[in-house]
Amino acid sequence: GEQLLRQARLVGVASQIEGLDEDAPGRIDGGSARVRAVARVPEPGIRLAPGADRFLMVVQPVPRSLAINALAVQAAYSAYQQRALARDSLRRMYVGTLTLALILAVFGSVLLAILLGNQLARPLLLLADGVRQVAAGDLKPKPVFASGDELGGLTRSFAEMTAQLADAREQVDRGVAQLEGARTRLQTILDTMTAGVIVFDREGRVDTVNPGATRILRLPLSAWRGRRLTELPELEALAHSVDQRFELLATSPEAGERDQWQDAFEFARSDGNTLTLLVRGAPLPGDARLMVFDDITEVVSAQRSQAWAEVARRLAHEIKNPLTPIQLSAERLQVKLADRLDETSRQTLKRSTDTIINQVAALKGLVDAFSQYAKLPSARIERLDLNALINEVAVLYEGLRPPILELEPGLPPVAGDAALLRQLLHNLLKNANEALAGVPDPQVQVSTRRVEGGVELCVADNGPGFPAELFNRLFEPYATTKAKGTGLGLAVVRKIVEEHHGVIEVRNVEGGGAQVCVTLPLLETNHE
């Protein structure tokens, strides 16, 4: 009632249905249903009481049928509200269930994807890591993915391939090591060979040169790699001769020549010496060429010396014996026939017999010189002061042309034969003095000095020097530029040096003159 009055006071009219509440008596059959309406009555001008409102309240029973219908509608609405509430709850539960199911499905999918991805990616990662290691040069055994599928088989194949690569690289390393060892051994052999070795490529250019070739030819061959020998003026003649022999071997080889050839060539060195080279050539695979050569100048000279010694022995035996009877017969003819001839014939006989006697004497001198060369006695080695010996010999030349002495003091004793070394010094001084004929201000110098392994004795003059064409034949008999003489001086000197196991060297002095140097071993060195 109060709530209905307040509503009517505010709005002017208010109504409500009573008897349809759930706790109202007679609600089920609708017998207590009524409509209560309250309306505010406006004031007519006469007020019953000041400040009081007037309300008209009407109470009207609701027909039973209408009340029953209202209850039915109310029950239906209540049922609808209950179902509406139940639908929202069901919808929220279904949405939650679906969301949970979706979350679980996504999580399961992610987990399954991780598991499958790990199953698929692991062998691929193994392969990728293995490829990176192989690319970096690491060929150690690679891990294998333990599965029977294609990816597992791929990792096994990759591991087998890596092992094969490791084996192949090990074989290559062994081959390279063997090749490097062989190359080192070959280079060591080439470096220690006394013979010269030159290898030409297929174009004929210098490819390999050993130190022996540089030593023999005294030319910077190592700096000429990649060039043809025909391009070098010093070797042009030798190069043409070698090329001709290679062509001859390829087209029409001589008897006994199949895979290589051998020949001797003369080579003029820039220092004026002419070498005799024994050259061997052979073709190599790939159209390359090999040339091996050695300096046989000393061998040829020794052979010539041996031949001259044989000639000297034959001269002494075959010529010397008849000379004395020839000389005696000429003298006897002169004595027996001089008194029987007139003056003119006597003078003719005398000139003829004198000529015979003089020529026989000359032949005897020649034969004696050759005999001395052929029968030079062996050296009797003893302790010898070389400077003292030189001073003794120099005294003998005081009345002729005394040599200038430059002797190093305190020289150790040498191992030598005093008589042979005295003869050696006489021959050198004699040759030097004879070379100074017609030279203004002639000088002969004798010097000594300590060198490695011995003592060096040098005799020098300021004459014209040795002719270039005789440089390689100076130690052979008859190798001389003098109008008279046998040229045996230096030949005898060389034999004496060889008897002492020494070394002899001749050279032309810059500015004019010649020098002969002999190195004699020390007494201790000789005894060793």
Side-chain angles (χ1 to χ4, degrees), residues 386 414-415 421 424 453-457 497 500 502-503 518-522:
L386 186 60
V414 298
L421 291 181
L424 175 146
V455 174
E456 183 183 68
L457 162 66
V497 173
H500 285 78
V503 178
V518 174
T519 303
L520 299 173
L522 300 179

Side-chain angles (χ1 to χ4, degrees), residues 161-321:
M161 182 192 70
T162 304
Q164 292 173 358
L165 285 176
D167 293 340
R169 188 171 73 173
E170 185 178 356
Q171 293 177 1
V172 170
D173 291 341
R174 284 198 302 268
V176 170
Q178 292 174 357
L179 180 60
E180 199 63 34
R183 180 180 297 176
T184 302
R185 289 192 297 271
L186 178 60
Q187 189 63 44
T188 303
I189 293 172
L190 290 177
D191 291 344
T192 55
M193 284 181 64
T194 57
V197 178
I198 302 178
V199 179
F200 304 95
D201 60 17
R202 60 186 306 169
E203 302 297 332
R205 294 185 292 263
V206 177
D207 181 70
T208 303
V209 176
N210 77 326
T214 302
R215 176 184 55 81
I216 293 173
L217 300 181
R218 295 188 182 179
L219 293 172
L221 297 177
S222 298
W224 292 341
R225 286 191 176 96
R227 300 178 62 185
R228 297 174 182 269
L229 291 186
T230 53
E231 300 175 6
L232 311 173
E234 300 90 340
L235 297 175
E236 185 176 2
L238 178 62
H240 284 303
S241 300
V242 170
D243 287 342
Q244 289 175 1
R245 288 299 282 116
F246 272 112
E247 295 298 329
L248 183 62
L249 178 67
T251 56
S252 55
E254 297 180 359
E257 291 184 351
R258 184 176 60 182
D259 298 327
Q260 61 180 1
W261 57 264
Q262 176 176 309
D263 209 339
F265 300 104
E266 297 290 332
F267 170 69
R269 236 170 22 193
S270 57
D271 57 4
N273 289 337
T274 300
L275 304 182
T276 302
L277 301 180
L278 180 62
V279 183
R280 299 178 182 86
L284 297 176
D287 295 332
R289 290 177 176 180
L290 169 67
M291 184 177 81
V292 181
F293 58 93
D294 207 345
D295 181 10
I296 60 171
T297 307
E298 295 291 333
V299 176
V300 172
S301 179
Q303 290 175 347
R304 290 174 180 168
S305 298
Q306 186 177 4
W308 274 110
E310 182 64 25
V311 170
R313 282 191 292 270
R314 289 184 178 274
L315 281 173
H317 182 267
E318 300 293 341
I319 298 178
K320 187 176 183 180
N321 291 337

